[in-house]
Amino acid sequence: MKKYLFLLMAAVGLVANASAQQALWGASKVVSPELNKDRSVTFRLDAPDAKKVSVVGDFTTLDGKSIARADMVRGEKGIWEWTSPALISELFYYSFVVDGLKINDPANVYFNRDFASMANIVIVGGGYGDNYVAHDVAHGSLKREWYHSPTLGFDRRVTVYTPAGYEQSKKKYPVLYLLHGSGGDEEAWIIQGRTQHIMDNLIAQGKCEPMIVVITNGNNWQQAAPGETAEGLVYPSRRVRMKPKNDASFVDSFGDIINHIESNYRVIRKPEGRAVAGLSMGGGHSFRISYSYPKMFDYVGLFSASVNNVTDEKVAAQLAAQRDNGFKLYWIACGKTDFLYKNNIAYMKYLDKIDFPYEYRESEGGHTWRNWRMYISEFVPMLFKK
Amino acid sequence: MKKYLFLLMAAVGLVANASAQQALWGASKVVSPELNKDRSVTFRLDAPDAKKVSVVGDFTTLDGKSIARADMVRGEKGIWEWTSPALISELFYYSFVVDGLKINDPANVYFNRDFASMANIVIVGGGYGDNYVAHDVAHGSLKREWYHSPTLGFDRRVTVYTPAGYEQSKKKYPVLYLLHGSGGDEEAWIIQGRTQHIMDNLIAQGKCEPMIVVITNGNNWQQAAPGETAEGLVYPSRRVRMKPKNDASFVDSFGDIINHIESNYRVIRKPEGRAVAGLSMGGGHSFRISYSYPKMFDYVGLFSASVNNVTDEKVAAQLAAQRDNGFKLYWIACGKTDFLYKNNIAYMKYLDKIDFPYEYRESEGGHTWRNWRMYISEFVPMLFKK
């Protein structure tokens, strides 16, 4: 008993200690966000001195209405509250605006960084959102590691997902190379894309082959995500651009990543064991990588991709060669209101003209992570099927 | 050129798209924090409608003064500002308080979670702080993985640092098991403790042997850090306690972690290749683990540890056996104002009484991450020396 009495006293001591730092580390008194059974969400903020408090977010109601801002109502003790209508199953972003100042929700420790901005997140289940959170299934591993890129001339960081069982198995695994968009880095598909949870869940459900997912940094002028380099804790928009050797592009350097992965992981070193996909700029990278590295990838995914309109003869020849070499899947996905929608339509017209086989998935919405999480969830089940 | 024109247009499109979501994702207009050459730090907040703005933090000036709160001054355009005096080299925590409401710094994307609270961080260089940020050195890898604990009866998450060169080498590495305190989890030593950067830097400086660092989850009632389990994105203080099999403790289950690591990593499976250390509750764990697993660890570190006063005969016998079995280092560190200081002093009196060899490092300050980052920086250079 004495041991437990001591531990209790230690715990009390800890509380007293924490209390001294209340102003800095004080925890929240309110529950926010609260997921209700009817799929509505209640947001709360303890702000007795505020005059006006709103929620800003990207909510979509079950009947398809968008809500970008809602005023919260002040309760008796100065706790502001807003309950949404029933929402679709999704990961929503939100912040509070208190008398004109945008702040995080102090009662929610979950949020995402998107380039240089932060927003809290809340995930409503019952549909797509269910795959964006952890479940009681076998979990893969996530490793942040570094490789040398001789092409760019510096070391770079890469994030590698290995599926549950990889370490214990002796078999070779297929690899999906997954590329971010402009403003992103090797964290984007994990933080914003929830890729680790999507993979764990789809593999556990038997909907998807176990595969390695390699999340690269597609900015040829940087080594790694903010805070992970010798630049220190600099604000993302103020980062200094490094000069790549011989002005090499990320596409030029892609072989360095493949070499690193194929030298360090137990993988299938054949086209049928390789896929490349990306969103926006990363979709443009995937477009170029898949024709620049002939017979390398049997699976290609372009999500809201910045494809060009193929006026370059060399590109045209490479695309024709890609078509003739053959592959298993060339999947293009875009939202109807995406600012790159017209480009993707024009690109597919070109592909039709040269009899280049592809599949097209058109969705609602635009250039958003909501779509990219949905696209990756639909894309990976099509890969590496025997 | 057309390709670049297109990319430019795409970028413009992106900006327009982002602009529509300005309220949610708008980036900061001000620079904050700004590290000045004289080691002062300037904090800024764009809050034209605020009546009073303060910084709360744990600053220590170069002349040893503590600053826990400072009022910011409103500039002409409603940008509030405070410049600290010159500060010691350290990682400081801070938040803003705007008209009574504690908020994050919207211009700083770097912050830490401590159990259920968030605070921004800023790191001042020129001393200890230099090892808490990335430098242009060879970087180790950081892997989040899962293992099964037969003792507790469920799967658990563990964070593993492998030093630069591990993947390419064939040699066997020593392992430090590093344990967190109450309220922490398998992320604490990475997020709060900056262990990855400390290890990278000390190894690169030749001050420390390359070693694997295994950061466990020491809460026998949970599988993983918040957000990583089937509980979903629940607030840390509202997490449900799991029931461990046969009420097994974390110490009881420690063999499961050793088995997992020694089965999956290339490690030295001898006492001279194993160290265990922890802070607060994790120091108490290290105290108990090091005598409960005889001849397992040649190196033990107790940082601000919740050690007990050895009134239990079985514990006394195990400590005597540990002494007789021999080891290389038993390192106790505590701050003078730590609420566990007296306990550590009492424990060392007991060790003196039984001729149990140890080294003692007494520091200023109390039960803080500032001390624990310092202790780990001093502890690892003493490990695994030939």
Side-chain angles (χ1 to χ4, degrees):
Chain A
M1 269 315 286
K2 272 186 186 151
K3 185 160 76 176
Y4 294 105
L5 185 63
F6 167 78
L7 287 173
L8 181 67
M9 287 166 64
V12 172
L14 268 170
V15 170
N17 188 274
S19 162
Q21 298 196 24
Q22 190 76 34
L24 182 57
W25 285 117
S28 168
K29 288 181 215 162
V30 301
V31 176
S32 178
E34 184 168 7
L35 295 164
N36 304 311
K37 281 184 185 161
D38 63 357
R39 292 172 61 152
S40 68
V41 180
T42 300
F43 299 88
R44 294 185 184 91
L45 180 70
D46 180 17
D49 298 328
K51 299 221 163 41
K52 187 179 176 183
V53 182
S54 310
V55 186
V56 289
D58 65 344
F59 309 110
T60 303
T61 67
L62 263 186
D63 50 9
K65 212 178 103 191
S66 293
I67 301 177
R69 179 184 283 264
D71 289 338
M72 296 175 80
V73 175
R74 191 184 193 282
E76 0 184 320
K77 287 179 182 171
I79 292 168
W80 298 72
E81 191 173 300
W82 176 67
T83 297
S84 75
L87 300 174
I88 61 167
S89 174
E90 189 47 77
L91 183 158
F92 299 106
Y93 302 108
Y94 75 97
S95 294
F96 293 146
V97 180
V98 181
D99 297 332
L101 186 68
K102 190 180 67 138
I103 67 164
N104 65 321
D105 179 350
N108 185 357
V109 299
Y110 304 101
F111 40 97
N112 283 3
R113 177 181 61 80
D114 187 34
F115 186 43
S117 294
M118 309 291 303
N120 281 105
I121 63 168
V122 57
I123 297 178
V124 176
Y128 276 102
D130 285 337
N131 278 339
Y132 306 160
V133 288
H135 290 278
D136 199 8
V137 300
H139 298 289
S141 303
L142 199 67
K143 188 173 181 184
R144 269 83 173 189
E145 64 189 39
W146 288 73
Y147 69 99
H148 183 67
S149 171
T151 308
L152 295 175
F154 44 78
D155 290 349
R156 311 195 74 224
R157 195 163 172 261
V158 63
T159 302
V160 182
Y161 169 87
T162 45
Y166 171 82
E167 285 84 357
Q168 292 73 42
S169 162
K170 289 190 172 161
K171 75 170 188 134
K172 293 182 176 175
Y173 284 72
V175 181
L176 164 62
Y177 295 88
L178 191 55
L179 317 185
H180 64 80
S182 174
D185 51 54
E186 76 280 9
E187 295 291 341
W189 271 109
I190 294 302
I191 296 175
Q192 297 270 39
R194 310 288 294 178
T195 300
Q196 184 180 15
H197 297 303
I198 292 170
M199 296 308 298
D200 278 357
N201 292 324
L202 292 179
I203 292 170
Q205 292 158 21
K207 291 182 180 164
C208 166
E209 292 293 315
M211 68 184 78
I212 296 171
V213 183
V214 175
I215 301 173
T216 58
N217 182 313
N219 307 308
N220 67 337
W221 51 273
Q222 70 180 196
Q223 294 188 279
E228 300 293 339
T229 72
E231 280 180 278
L233 305 187
V234 68
Y235 195 63
S237 64
R238 288 189 291 273
R239 298 189 68 185
V240 175
R241 288 179 166 251
M242 294 183 75
K243 197 171 158 42
K245 203 165 121 185
N246 306 318
D247 291 319
S249 73
F250 174 66
V251 173
D252 296 334
S253 79
F254 204 76
D256 298 343
I257 297 168
I258 299 174
N259 285 343
H260 170 73
I261 295 299
E262 300 202 345
S263 310
N264 287 282
Y265 288 85
R266 232 174 33 253
V267 300
I268 299 165
R269 293 191 183 81
K270 292 176 188 167
E272 61 261 36
R274 297 192 198 98
V276 63
L279 72 92
S280 191
M281 176 183 83
H285 287 155
S286 302
F287 155 72
R288 283 184 282 280
I289 286 165
S290 69
Y291 67 67
S292 303
Y293 294 78
K295 300 187 192 177
M296 189 65 92
F297 301 97
D298 262 359
Y299 302 89
V300 180
L302 311 186
F303 310 160
S304 311
S306 58
V307 283
N308 72 25
N309 48 12
V310 198
T311 51
D312 184 303
E313 279 178 28
K314 197 182 156 204
V315 172
Q318 286 175 303
L319 274 174
Q322 186 179 8
R323 173 201 60 203
D324 297 343
N325 288 331
F327 48 79
K328 294 189 175 169
L329 178 68
Y330 198 96
W331 197 73
I332 298 171
C334 201
K336 287 178 194 167
T337 63
D338 196 305
F339 74 98
L340 294 174
Y341 180 76
K342 282 185 186 168
N343 278 87
N344 275 271
I345 296 295
Y347 177 55
M348 286 185 282
K349 277 194 184 153
Y350 178 82
L351 294 180
D352 290 337
K353 206 174 69 180
I354 65 165
D355 286 326
F356 188 107
Y358 64 90
E359 290 182 26
Y360 178 47
R361 159 67 157 112
E362 187 168 282
S363 73
E364 300 301 314
H367 210 72
T368 64
W369 273 105
R370 187 183 296 192
N371 272 343
W372 303 325
R373 283 187 292 267
M374 185 173 74
Y375 298 160
I376 189 73
S377 303
E378 297 180 8
F379 182 65
V380 290
M382 297 185 282
L383 304 181
F384 312 126
K385 297 287 186 194
K386 269 106 202 173
Chain B
M1 269 314 287
K2 273 188 185 149
K3 186 161 79 179
Y4 294 104
L5 185 63
F6 167 78
L7 287 173
L8 181 67
M9 287 166 65
V12 172
L14 268 169
V15 169
N17 189 275
S19 161
Q21 298 197 21
Q22 190 76 34
L24 182 57
W25 286 117
S28 169
K29 287 181 220 163
V30 300
V31 176
S32 178
E34 185 168 7
L35 296 164
N36 305 310
K37 280 183 185 162
D38 63 356
R39 290 172 62 150
S40 67
V41 180
T42 301
F43 300 88
R44 294 186 185 91
L45 180 71
D46 180 16
D49 298 328
K51 298 217 165 45
K52 186 180 177 184
V53 182
S54 310
V55 186
V56 290
D58 65 344
F59 309 110
T60 303
T61 66
L62 262 185
D63 50 10
K65 212 179 103 191
S66 293
I67 301 177
R69 179 185 284 264
D71 290 336
M72 296 175 80
V73 175
R74 192 184 193 282
E76 353 184 325
K77 289 181 180 170
I79 292 168
W80 298 72
E81 190 174 300
W82 176 66
T83 298
S84 76
L87 300 173
I88 61 167
S89 174
E90 188 48 75
L91 181 158
F92 299 106
Y93 303 107
Y94 75 97
S95 295
F96 293 145
V97 180
V98 181
D99 297 331
L101 185 67
K102 187 180 67 137
I103 68 163
N104 63 321
D105 179 349
N108 185 356
V109 299
Y110 304 100
F111 39 97
N112 282 2
R113 176 181 61 80
D114 188 33
F115 185 42
S117 293
M118 309 291 303
N120 282 103
I121 63 169
V122 58
I123 298 178
V124 176
Y128 276 101
D130 285 338
N131 278 339
Y132 306 160
V133 288
H135 291 276
D136 200 8
V137 299
H139 298 290
S141 302
L142 198 66
K143 188 174 181 183
R144 270 83 173 190
E145 65 189 39
W146 287 74
Y147 69 99
H148 183 67
S149 171
T151 308
L152 295 175
F154 44 80
D155 290 348
R156 312 195 74 225
R157 196 163 172 261
V158 63
T159 302
V160 182
Y161 169 86
T162 43
Y166 171 81
E167 285 84 357
Q168 292 73 41
S169 162
K170 288 191 173 161
K171 75 171 189 131
K172 293 182 175 175
Y173 284 72
V175 181
L176 164 62
Y177 295 87
L178 191 54
L179 318 184
H180 64 80
S182 173
D185 52 52
E186 76 280 8
E187 295 291 341
W189 272 109
I190 294 302
I191 296 175
Q192 297 270 39
R194 310 288 295 178
T195 299
Q196 184 181 14
H197 297 303
I198 291 170
M199 296 307 299
D200 278 356
N201 292 323
L202 292 179
I203 293 169
Q205 292 158 22
K207 291 183 179 164
C208 167
E209 292 293 314
M211 67 184 79
I212 295 172
V213 183
V214 176
I215 301 173
T216 58
N217 182 314
N219 307 309
N220 67 337
W221 50 273
Q222 69 180 200
Q223 295 187 280
E228 299 294 339
T229 71
E231 280 180 278
L233 305 186
V234 68
Y235 196 63
S237 64
R238 289 189 293 273
R239 298 189 68 186
V240 175
R241 289 179 165 249
M242 294 183 75
K243 197 169 159 45
K245 204 164 118 184
N246 305 320
D247 291 319
S249 73
F250 173 67
V251 174
D252 296 334
S253 79
F254 204 76
D256 299 342
I257 296 168
I258 299 175
N259 284 343
H260 169 74
I261 295 298
E262 301 202 345
S263 310
N264 286 282
Y265 288 86
R266 234 174 32 253
V267 300
I268 299 165
R269 293 189 183 82
K270 293 176 186 167
E272 61 261 36
R274 296 192 200 97
V276 62
L279 73 92
S280 192
M281 175 183 85
H285 287 155
S286 301
F287 155 73
R288 284 185 282 279
I289 287 165
S290 69
Y291 67 65
S292 302
Y293 293 78
K295 301 187 189 175
M296 189 65 90
F297 300 96
D298 261 359
Y299 302 88
V300 181
L302 311 185
F303 309 160
S304 311
S306 58
V307 284
N308 73 25
N309 47 14
V310 197
T311 51
D312 184 304
E313 279 179 26
K314 197 183 155 203
V315 172
Q318 285 175 302
L319 274 174
Q322 185 179 7
R323 173 201 60 202
D324 296 344
N325 287 331
F327 48 80
K328 295 189 174 169
L329 177 68
Y330 197 95
W331 197 73
I332 297 171
C334 200
K336 288 178 192 168
T337 62
D338 197 306
F339 73 99
L340 294 175
Y341 180 75
K342 283 186 185 168
N343 278 87
N344 276 271
I345 296 295
Y347 177 55
M348 286 185 283
K349 279 195 182 150
Y350 178 81
L351 293 180
D352 290 338
K353 206 174 70 181
I354 66 165
D355 285 325
F356 187 109
Y358 64 91
E359 291 182 27
Y360 177 48
R361 159 67 157 110
E362 187 168 281
S363 73
E364 301 301 316
H367 210 73
T368 63
W369 273 106
R370 186 183 295 193
N371 272 343
W372 303 324
R373 281 186 294 267
M374 185 171 75
Y375 297 160
I376 189 72
S377 303
E378 297 180 9
F379 182 64
V380 291
M382 297 185 282
L383 304 181
F384 312 126
K385 297 287 185 197
K386 270 104 202 177

